Amino acid sequence: VSQSRYQAWNNLAKMAKGDFLCFISDDHELASGSLRDLCVPDTVTCPSGGNVGFHNYWGGMFCIPRNIYEKYGLYDMEFNEGIHYMDEDLFKRYSENGVTMKRIKDVVVRHEHPGSTLAKSENFNDRVQLNRDIYERKWNGYKVA
């Protein structure tokens, strides 16, 4: 049984030993800057570039200080059977708890074909709606644009 990227990242976060946890999807490429530039104390960061404007970018590549991960966790696996809204849920939880989130302009990432693989997945629309329903229920009817 294969695990989702989100479950894999949850498992990796549990095993990690460093002060910062940096995540990058396999379809993203660091174009300029350094991962070290994403390591900002008490701040969840992401690079510029990628699919900014398409998906608010945070989910494709981001860095979390260990203390924030230990306090607020990573992905809620209730969303695991669906598609989308897992990143929105994670970053809404951080935002609701006052966690500082910042885009680092000196770090740029490329993401050539955002969403192209997911759109081909089985029952795509049903799986998107499944997670949308979970998200809206969890956040008391809060709608995602």
Side-chain angles (χ1 to χ4, degrees):
V1 174
S2 69
Q3 58 183 335
S4 72
R5 165 185 73 153
Y6 304 101
Q7 185 61 54
W9 284 3
N10 278 350
N11 292 340
L12 289 168
K14 289 176 190 172
M15 294 185 288
K17 304 288 185 212
D19 294 331
F20 293 89
L21 309 174
C22 292
F23 299 91
I24 184 168
S25 294
D26 63 351
D27 59 350
H28 289 65
E29 176 184 351
L30 187 63
S32 65
S34 167
L35 292 179
R36 290 186 192 277
D37 295 332
L38 296 177
C39 299
V40 178
D42 300 315
T43 304
V44 176
T45 61
C46 80
S48 298
N51 50 352
V52 174
F54 172 74
H55 187 264
N56 197 20
Y57 196 67
W58 290 93
M61 182 177 181
F62 59 96
C63 182
I64 305 171
R66 173 167 297 288
N67 64 312
I68 291 174
Y69 163 71
E70 289 176 350
K71 188 168 185 178
Y72 301 110
L74 204 54
Y75 290 103
D76 178 347
M77 294 316 300
E78 179 181 9
F79 292 91
N80 199 37
E81 297 302 317
I83 295 176
H84 294 311
Y85 299 101
M86 294 176 84
D87 297 319
E88 289 85 354
D89 175 68
L90 174 65
F91 296 109
K92 180 155 180 60
R93 182 170 6 112
Y94 288 169
S95 178
E96 292 285 314
N97 284 288
V99 173
T100 301
M101 294 185 287
K102 180 178 179 185
R103 192 175 312 276
I104 306 299
K105 292 180 181 169
D106 292 340
V107 180
V108 178
V109 68
R110 271 190 222 102
H111 186 202
E112 295 296 325
H113 305 287
S116 61
T117 303
L118 285 177
K120 295 175 185 173
S121 63
E122 187 176 334
N123 303 319
F124 175 77
N125 290 329
D126 293 338
R127 293 176 66 203
V128 169
Q129 188 61 50
L130 172 71
N131 273 6
R132 180 186 213 78
D133 292 345
I134 292 168
Y135 183 90
E136 290 176 359
R137 183 179 64 248
K138 181 176 181 178
W139 293 104
N140 298 315
Y142 182 87
K143 305 283 186 199
V144 178

